[in-house]
Amino acid sequence: MESTLRRTWAEIDLDALAHNYHTLHRRIGPGVKFLGVVKADAYGHGAIEVSRTLEELGADYLAVSSIDEAMELREHGIAMPILILGYTPPDQVERLIKLHITQAVTSIEAAEAYSAEAVRCGGTLQIHIKVDTGMSRLGFLCAGAQFDACVAEICDVCRLPGLASEGIFTHFAVSDEGDEESRAYTQGQFDLFCRCIEAVEAKLEHPFALRHCANTGAVAQWPQTYLDMVRPGLLLYGCGEFAGELGLRPVMTLKTTVSTVKTYPQDTSISYGRRYVTPRQTRIGVVPYGYADGFFRSLSNNCSLLTAHGPAPVRGRICMDMCMIDLTDLPGVNAGDEVEVFGVRNSVNDLAAAANTIPYELLTSVRKRVLRVYLRSGAEIGRELLLRL
Ligand SMILES: *Cc1c(COP(=O)(O)O)cnc(C)c1O
């Protein structure tokens, strides 16, 4: 069923996505491949439409977090290479092979289990080996005394039957920071990664086709880390601290509407808990955007939404499905008018800062009941409401 409701919706500007892709592609140069990170439903933008657009634009690879996310893309006709960054149980190897999905391998135990399964079903699983150079999350630990053992293990993985080691990668912990200590840490991670690759390649006959490590922070600040492929997420969506200086545009604009407007006398308390009391006669609008849509309740009394006539402060506690905004100084705003929560005019970076979090969390918090409206050349080309209608 298709919703025609314009309650609260996210406009996904696929032209902005294309602009960001081309801008980043010019930055990395023709010799470097481009992997677009589309995990978590493409950071809340809708993984299918975003992936379709990236495929048309000529991106080389996609990355998701799980086999479920990878299968969603295959089932909707995405044919390009997909890398699963997270863990997949070995009993899914046959499916990975059949669907041409590449799996990250983060330990010798997992590699052996994948290999046994691949041999059993008579296929070859494409893998990218994950090296832990200082993120301390997934991957083969290669710092300090573990270096030689790590190199030996990775060589063992590459020699296992049924596995094709197409790539090797690592992940930076502070590539988006600019202070001396962080820069030294990132340089250390990169140097260790390069030493590890060099040692492994020296022992094996074949070099890795795809060596990659550059996430958003590194694409913006560390051109020397691009290697064979870059792996940005947030930049692609035109958000975060580097997007502006790189000339990127926000892809998502989250909009809602003023549903009713009422004027209250001075000393009226607004919403649950009575945490806002009108200091004067106050004109309050109700907008259908609450914490069950992805708003952060911690932003109660602590942020503004943008109307056509200027910012309207949120007053009182944010409720599950609604919140209240102050229109006293915005007499031109009336019931039915559009309000931007974040996006092209009201930066998600500012709202994230007010919520004491990062734009990633606000983007990925936009809930399934918020309609996604896909725009191309200013016209709507599709919409998705992810409810079980
Ligand atoms: C999420 C993720 C990325 C993308 O990170 P951004 O900061 O959004 O660019 C890249 N690589 C890995 C392994 C990730 O998990």
Side-chain angles (χ1 to χ4, degrees), residues 37 39 43 85 130 137 169-171 215-217 231-235 360:
V37 178
K39 65 191 181 195
Y43 291 37
L85 298 166
K130 177 76 176 277
R137 199 172 60 179
F169 70 113
T170 194
H171 196 44
N215 58 355
T216 282
R231 214 171 61 225
L234 194 68
L235 271 191
Y360 299 78

Side-chain angles (χ1 to χ4, degrees), residues 172-178 181-183 185-186 189 221-222:
F172 293 126
V174 285
S175 61
D176 55 342
E177 309 277 347
E181 192 186 333
S182 298
R183 291 193 63 84
Y185 195 82
T186 302
Q189 279 197 266
Q221 306 203 101
W222 292 86

